[in-house]
Amino acid sequence: MFPFLIKYKKILNQDFNLIENENILKTIKGNLKRNGVDRISISNGSILNFENDFFAIRPGLNWNIWEGISKGKIEIVKNQQIREVSYLFNTSRFFIIGLTAGVFIGIVSKMVWPGFFAFTVLGLLNWTISIIRHRVNFNDLLNEVLRNNKN
Protein backbone atom coordinates (compact mmCIF):
# COMPACT_ATOMS: atom_id res chain seq x y z
CA MET A 1 0.00 0.00 0.00
CA PHE A 2 1.48 3.31 -1.13
CA PRO A 3 3.50 5.09 0.40
CA PHE A 4 4.88 2.16 2.41
CA LEU A 5 5.08 -0.37 -0.42
CA ILE A 6 6.61 0.71 -3.72
CA LYS A 7 6.50 -1.51 -6.80
CA TYR A 8 8.42 -1.22 -10.04
CA LYS A 9 7.87 -3.42 -13.08
CA LYS A 10 9.97 -3.93 -16.14
CA ILE A 11 9.44 -6.14 -19.17
CA LEU A 12 12.60 -8.05 -20.02
CA ASN A 13 13.70 -7.55 -23.61
CA GLN A 14 15.06 -10.22 -25.95
CA ASP A 15 18.58 -9.89 -24.48
CA PHE A 16 17.28 -11.85 -21.47
CA ASN A 17 15.73 -14.71 -23.51
CA LEU A 18 18.67 -17.10 -23.02
CA ILE A 19 19.11 -16.33 -19.32
CA GLU A 20 17.17 -18.55 -16.92
CA ASN A 21 15.14 -16.93 -14.13
CA GLU A 22 17.29 -18.60 -11.49
CA ASN A 23 20.50 -17.15 -13.00
CA ILE A 24 18.96 -13.69 -13.00
CA LEU A 25 18.00 -14.02 -9.34
CA LYS A 26 21.40 -15.49 -8.36
CA THR A 27 23.18 -12.50 -9.90
CA ILE A 28 20.88 -10.10 -8.07
CA LYS A 29 21.35 -12.07 -4.84
CA GLY A 30 25.14 -11.73 -5.17
CA ASN A 31 24.77 -7.97 -5.58
CA LEU A 32 22.49 -7.70 -2.55
CA LYS A 33 24.95 -9.72 -0.43
CA ARG A 34 27.85 -7.48 -1.47
CA ASN A 35 25.82 -4.44 -0.50
CA GLY A 36 24.90 -5.63 2.98
CA VAL A 37 21.37 -7.02 2.82
CA ASP A 38 20.91 -9.21 5.91
CA ARG A 39 18.70 -12.11 4.76
CA ILE A 40 18.14 -13.23 1.17
CA SER A 41 16.26 -16.27 -0.13
CA ILE A 42 15.22 -17.56 -3.54
CA SER A 43 12.04 -19.61 -3.81
CA ASN A 44 10.35 -21.39 -6.72
CA GLY A 45 13.21 -20.30 -9.00
CA SER A 46 11.40 -17.05 -9.74
CA ILE A 47 11.07 -15.13 -6.44
CA LEU A 48 13.83 -13.48 -4.44
CA ASN A 49 12.90 -12.21 -0.95
CA PHE A 50 15.15 -10.06 1.19
CA GLU A 51 14.99 -8.52 4.66
CA ASN A 52 17.10 -6.17 6.75
CA ASP A 53 17.42 -5.90 10.50
CA PHE A 54 15.85 -2.74 11.90
CA PHE A 55 18.90 -1.74 13.94
CA ALA A 56 22.18 -2.60 12.28
CA ILE A 57 25.47 -0.79 12.55
CA ARG A 58 27.93 -1.40 9.76
CA PRO A 59 30.44 0.60 7.71
CA GLY A 60 28.92 2.85 5.07
CA LEU A 61 25.56 2.95 6.85
CA ASN A 62 24.70 6.43 5.59
CA TRP A 63 25.42 5.59 1.96
CA ASN A 64 23.93 2.12 1.80
CA ILE A 65 20.80 2.15 -0.36
CA TRP A 66 19.43 -0.96 1.37
CA GLU A 67 19.46 0.35 4.95
CA GLY A 68 16.18 2.22 4.61
CA ILE A 69 14.37 -0.82 3.27
CA SER A 70 12.97 -3.28 5.79
CA LYS A 71 12.06 -5.98 3.25
CA GLY A 72 11.42 -6.52 -0.41
CA LYS A 73 10.74 -8.99 -3.19
CA ILE A 74 11.89 -9.41 -6.76
CA GLU A 75 9.70 -11.67 -8.86
CA ILE A 76 9.95 -12.85 -12.44
CA VAL A 77 6.64 -13.71 -14.09
CA LYS A 78 6.06 -15.06 -17.58
CA ASN A 79 2.85 -13.99 -19.32
CA GLN A 80 2.46 -15.56 -22.75
CA GLN A 81 5.78 -14.72 -24.50
CA ILE A 82 6.75 -11.84 -22.22
CA ARG A 83 8.81 -12.07 -19.03
CA GLU A 84 8.29 -9.30 -16.52
CA VAL A 85 10.34 -8.49 -13.42
CA SER A 86 8.59 -6.81 -10.53
CA TYR A 87 10.45 -5.22 -7.66
CA LEU A 88 8.46 -4.55 -4.48
CA PHE A 89 10.01 -2.95 -1.40
CA ASN A 90 8.80 -1.66 1.95
CA THR A 91 9.73 1.90 2.95
CA SER A 92 7.93 2.08 6.29
CA ARG A 93 11.28 2.46 8.10
CA PHE A 94 11.67 5.99 6.67
CA PHE A 95 8.38 7.02 8.22
CA ILE A 96 9.06 5.38 11.58
CA ILE A 97 12.50 6.94 11.94
CA GLY A 98 11.39 10.34 10.61
CA LEU A 99 8.37 10.58 12.91
CA THR A 100 10.33 9.35 15.93
CA ALA A 101 13.13 11.85 15.30
CA GLY A 102 10.59 14.64 14.76
CA VAL A 103 8.77 13.94 18.01
CA PHE A 104 12.05 13.57 19.95
CA ILE A 105 13.53 16.84 18.63
CA GLY A 106 10.22 18.61 19.21
CA ILE A 107 10.05 17.48 22.82
CA VAL A 108 13.73 18.26 23.52
CA SER A 109 13.49 21.73 21.98
CA LYS A 110 10.09 22.36 23.64
CA MET A 111 8.75 23.35 20.25
CA VAL A 112 6.84 20.21 19.39
CA TRP A 113 5.11 21.26 16.17
CA PRO A 114 8.06 23.04 14.48
CA GLY A 115 10.39 20.15 15.37
CA PHE A 116 7.88 17.56 14.25
CA PHE A 117 7.22 19.43 11.00
CA ALA A 118 10.94 19.94 10.22
CA PHE A 119 11.85 16.28 10.65
CA THR A 120 8.75 15.10 8.85
CA VAL A 121 9.73 17.19 5.83
CA LEU A 122 13.29 15.82 6.00
CA GLY A 123 11.91 12.29 6.26
CA LEU A 124 9.71 12.82 3.19
CA LEU A 125 12.65 14.20 1.21
CA ASN A 126 14.76 11.21 2.24
CA TRP A 127 11.93 8.87 1.19
CA THR A 128 11.62 10.59 -2.21
CA ILE A 129 15.35 10.38 -2.86
CA SER A 130 15.36 6.71 -1.85
CA ILE A 131 12.53 5.87 -4.27
CA ILE A 132 14.46 7.49 -7.12
CA ARG A 133 17.68 5.68 -6.10
CA HIS A 134 15.89 2.33 -6.00
CA ARG A 135 14.47 2.83 -9.49
CA VAL A 136 17.96 3.54 -10.82
CA ASN A 137 19.39 0.64 -8.80
CA PHE A 138 16.76 -1.75 -10.20
CA ASN A 139 17.88 -0.90 -13.74
CA ASP A 140 21.54 -1.27 -12.71
CA LEU A 141 20.83 -4.74 -11.27
CA LEU A 142 19.29 -5.86 -14.56
CA ASN A 143 22.23 -4.43 -16.51
CA GLU A 144 24.60 -6.35 -14.23
CA VAL A 145 22.68 -9.54 -15.03
CA LEU A 146 23.25 -8.93 -18.73
CA ARG A 147 26.97 -8.21 -18.24
CA ASN A 148 27.50 -11.34 -16.13
CA ASN A 149 25.59 -13.67 -18.45
CA LYS A 150 26.96 -12.71 -21.85
CA ASN A 151 27.79 -15.74 -23.99
Side-chain angles (χ1 to χ4, degrees), residues 54-75:
F54 192 82
F55 292 108
I57 298 178
R58 40 173 97 63
L61 183 65
N62 293 335
W63 299 105
N64 190 339
I65 189 172
W66 303 105
E67 283 305 317
I69 304 304
S70 53
K71 61 183 174 179
K73 178 169 90 171
I74 297 173
E75 184 175 12

Short mmCIF file of all heavy atoms in Angstrom, two decimals, residues 54-75:
data_model
loop_
_atom_site.label_atom_id
_atom_site.label_comp_id
_atom_site.label_asym_id
_atom_site.label_seq_id
_atom_site.Cartn_x
_atom_site.Cartn_y
_atom_site.Cartn_z
N PHE A 54 16.24 -4.13 11.69
CA PHE A 54 15.85 -2.74 11.90
C PHE A 54 17.02 -1.91 12.42
O PHE A 54 17.29 -0.82 11.95
CB PHE A 54 14.67 -2.64 12.87
CG PHE A 54 14.06 -1.27 12.89
CD1 PHE A 54 13.16 -0.90 11.92
CD2 PHE A 54 14.40 -0.35 13.85
CE1 PHE A 54 12.59 0.35 11.91
CE2 PHE A 54 13.84 0.92 13.85
CZ PHE A 54 12.94 1.27 12.87
N PHE A 55 17.73 -2.44 13.40
CA PHE A 55 18.90 -1.74 13.94
C PHE A 55 20.14 -2.52 13.57
O PHE A 55 20.36 -3.62 14.06
CB PHE A 55 18.82 -1.62 15.46
CG PHE A 55 17.73 -0.71 15.91
CD1 PHE A 55 16.58 -1.20 16.50
CD2 PHE A 55 17.82 0.66 15.70
CE1 PHE A 55 15.56 -0.37 16.90
CE2 PHE A 55 16.80 1.50 16.09
CZ PHE A 55 15.67 1.00 16.69
N ALA A 56 20.93 -1.95 12.69
CA ALA A 56 22.18 -2.60 12.28
C ALA A 56 23.23 -1.52 12.11
O ALA A 56 22.98 -0.49 11.49
CB ALA A 56 21.98 -3.35 10.98
N ILE A 57 24.37 -1.75 12.69
CA ILE A 57 25.47 -0.79 12.55
C ILE A 57 26.56 -1.47 11.75
O ILE A 57 27.06 -2.52 12.12
CB ILE A 57 25.99 -0.34 13.93
CG1 ILE A 57 24.87 0.36 14.67
CG2 ILE A 57 27.21 0.54 13.77
CD1 ILE A 57 25.22 0.81 16.06
N ARG A 58 26.89 -0.88 10.63
CA ARG A 58 27.93 -1.40 9.76
C ARG A 58 28.59 -0.25 9.02
O ARG A 58 28.01 0.83 8.94
CB ARG A 58 27.41 -2.46 8.81
CG ARG A 58 26.09 -2.21 8.18
CD ARG A 58 25.74 -3.24 7.13
NE ARG A 58 24.93 -4.37 7.39
CZ ARG A 58 23.66 -4.38 7.75
NH1 ARG A 58 23.04 -3.29 8.00
NH2 ARG A 58 23.00 -5.48 7.88
N PRO A 59 29.77 -0.47 8.46
CA PRO A 59 30.44 0.60 7.71
C PRO A 59 29.58 1.05 6.52
O PRO A 59 28.89 0.25 5.90
CB PRO A 59 31.72 -0.07 7.22
CG PRO A 59 31.91 -1.25 8.09
CD PRO A 59 30.56 -1.67 8.56
N GLY A 60 29.65 2.33 6.22
CA GLY A 60 28.92 2.85 5.07
C GLY A 60 27.42 2.95 5.28
O GLY A 60 26.66 3.04 4.34
N LEU A 61 26.98 2.96 6.53
CA LEU A 61 25.56 2.95 6.85
C LEU A 61 24.81 4.10 6.17
O LEU A 61 23.73 3.92 5.64
CB LEU A 61 25.37 3.02 8.36
CG LEU A 61 23.95 2.95 8.89
CD1 LEU A 61 23.37 1.59 8.57
CD2 LEU A 61 23.93 3.19 10.38
N ASN A 62 25.39 5.27 6.16
CA ASN A 62 24.70 6.43 5.59
C ASN A 62 24.56 6.36 4.07
O ASN A 62 23.68 6.98 3.51
CB ASN A 62 25.42 7.71 5.96
CG ASN A 62 25.33 7.99 7.44
OD1 ASN A 62 24.41 7.54 8.10
ND2 ASN A 62 26.29 8.72 7.97
N TRP A 63 25.44 5.62 3.41
CA TRP A 63 25.42 5.59 1.96
C TRP A 63 24.78 4.33 1.39
O TRP A 63 24.58 4.21 0.20
CB TRP A 63 26.85 5.70 1.43
CG TRP A 63 27.46 6.99 1.83
CD1 TRP A 63 28.40 7.17 2.80
CD2 TRP A 63 27.15 8.29 1.34
NE1 TRP A 63 28.71 8.50 2.92
CE2 TRP A 63 27.95 9.22 2.04
CE3 TRP A 63 26.28 8.78 0.39
CZ2 TRP A 63 27.90 10.58 1.81
CZ3 TRP A 63 26.23 10.13 0.15
CH2 TRP A 63 27.03 11.02 0.86
N ASN A 64 24.46 3.39 2.26
CA ASN A 64 23.93 2.12 1.80
C ASN A 64 22.45 2.27 1.41
O ASN A 64 21.61 2.59 2.25
CB ASN A 64 24.09 1.05 2.88
CG ASN A 64 23.78 -0.33 2.37
OD1 ASN A 64 23.10 -0.51 1.37
ND2 ASN A 64 24.26 -1.33 3.08
N ILE A 65 22.16 1.99 0.16
CA ILE A 65 20.80 2.15 -0.36
C ILE A 65 19.82 1.19 0.29
O ILE A 65 18.62 1.45 0.37
CB ILE A 65 20.81 1.97 -1.90
CG1 ILE A 65 19.46 2.35 -2.51
CG2 ILE A 65 21.19 0.56 -2.28
CD1 ILE A 65 19.45 2.39 -4.01
N TRP A 66 20.31 0.07 0.82
CA TRP A 66 19.43 -0.96 1.37
C TRP A 66 19.07 -0.73 2.83
O TRP A 66 18.17 -1.39 3.35
CB TRP A 66 20.06 -2.34 1.20
CG TRP A 66 20.36 -2.62 -0.22
CD1 TRP A 66 21.59 -2.59 -0.82
CD2 TRP A 66 19.43 -2.89 -1.25
NE1 TRP A 66 21.46 -2.85 -2.15
CE2 TRP A 66 20.15 -3.04 -2.45
CE3 TRP A 66 18.05 -3.04 -1.29
CZ2 TRP A 66 19.54 -3.33 -3.66
CZ3 TRP A 66 17.44 -3.32 -2.49
CH2 TRP A 66 18.18 -3.45 -3.66
N GLU A 67 19.71 0.16 3.52
CA GLU A 67 19.46 0.35 4.95
C GLU A 67 18.05 0.87 5.25
O GLU A 67 17.49 0.57 6.27
CB GLU A 67 20.50 1.28 5.58
CG GLU A 67 21.81 0.62 5.83
CD GLU A 67 21.69 -0.63 6.67
OE1 GLU A 67 20.97 -0.64 7.68
OE2 GLU A 67 22.34 -1.62 6.33
N GLY A 68 17.50 1.67 4.37
CA GLY A 68 16.18 2.22 4.61
C GLY A 68 15.04 1.27 4.28
O GLY A 68 13.87 1.56 4.53
N ILE A 69 15.37 0.14 3.72
CA ILE A 69 14.37 -0.82 3.27
C ILE A 69 14.28 -1.95 4.27
O ILE A 69 15.28 -2.61 4.56
CB ILE A 69 14.73 -1.38 1.88
CG1 ILE A 69 14.91 -0.24 0.88
CG2 ILE A 69 13.72 -2.39 1.40
CD1 ILE A 69 13.73 0.68 0.74
N SER A 70 13.09 -2.21 4.81
CA SER A 70 12.97 -3.28 5.79
C SER A 70 12.86 -4.65 5.11
O SER A 70 13.41 -5.63 5.59
CB SER A 70 11.78 -3.04 6.71
OG SER A 70 10.61 -2.82 5.96
N LYS A 71 12.15 -4.72 3.99
CA LYS A 71 12.06 -5.98 3.25
C LYS A 71 11.61 -5.70 1.83
O LYS A 71 11.10 -4.62 1.52
CB LYS A 71 11.12 -6.96 3.92
CG LYS A 71 9.69 -6.49 4.05
CD LYS A 71 8.85 -7.50 4.81
CE LYS A 71 7.47 -6.96 5.05
NZ LYS A 71 6.62 -7.91 5.75
N GLY A 72 11.81 -6.69 0.98
CA GLY A 72 11.42 -6.52 -0.41
C GLY A 72 11.35 -7.84 -1.13
O GLY A 72 11.69 -8.90 -0.59
N LYS A 73 10.91 -7.78 -2.38
CA LYS A 73 10.74 -8.99 -3.19
C LYS A 73 10.97 -8.64 -4.65
O LYS A 73 10.51 -7.61 -5.14
CB LYS A 73 9.33 -9.53 -2.98
CG LYS A 73 9.00 -10.76 -3.80
CD LYS A 73 7.71 -11.41 -3.37
CE LYS A 73 6.54 -10.84 -4.12
NZ LYS A 73 5.30 -11.59 -3.88
N ILE A 74 11.71 -9.51 -5.32
CA ILE A 74 11.89 -9.41 -6.76
C ILE A 74 11.32 -10.68 -7.36
O ILE A 74 11.68 -11.79 -6.96
CB ILE A 74 13.39 -9.25 -7.13
CG1 ILE A 74 13.91 -7.94 -6.54
CG2 ILE A 74 13.57 -9.28 -8.64
CD1 ILE A 74 15.39 -7.73 -6.68
N GLU A 75 10.40 -10.51 -8.29
CA GLU A 75 9.70 -11.67 -8.86
C GLU A 75 9.72 -11.60 -10.38
O GLU A 75 9.52 -10.54 -10.97
CB GLU A 75 8.26 -11.70 -8.36
CG GLU A 75 7.47 -12.89 -8.79
CD GLU A 75 6.09 -12.93 -8.17
OE1 GLU A 75 5.64 -11.93 -7.59
OE2 GLU A 75 5.45 -13.99 -8.28
#
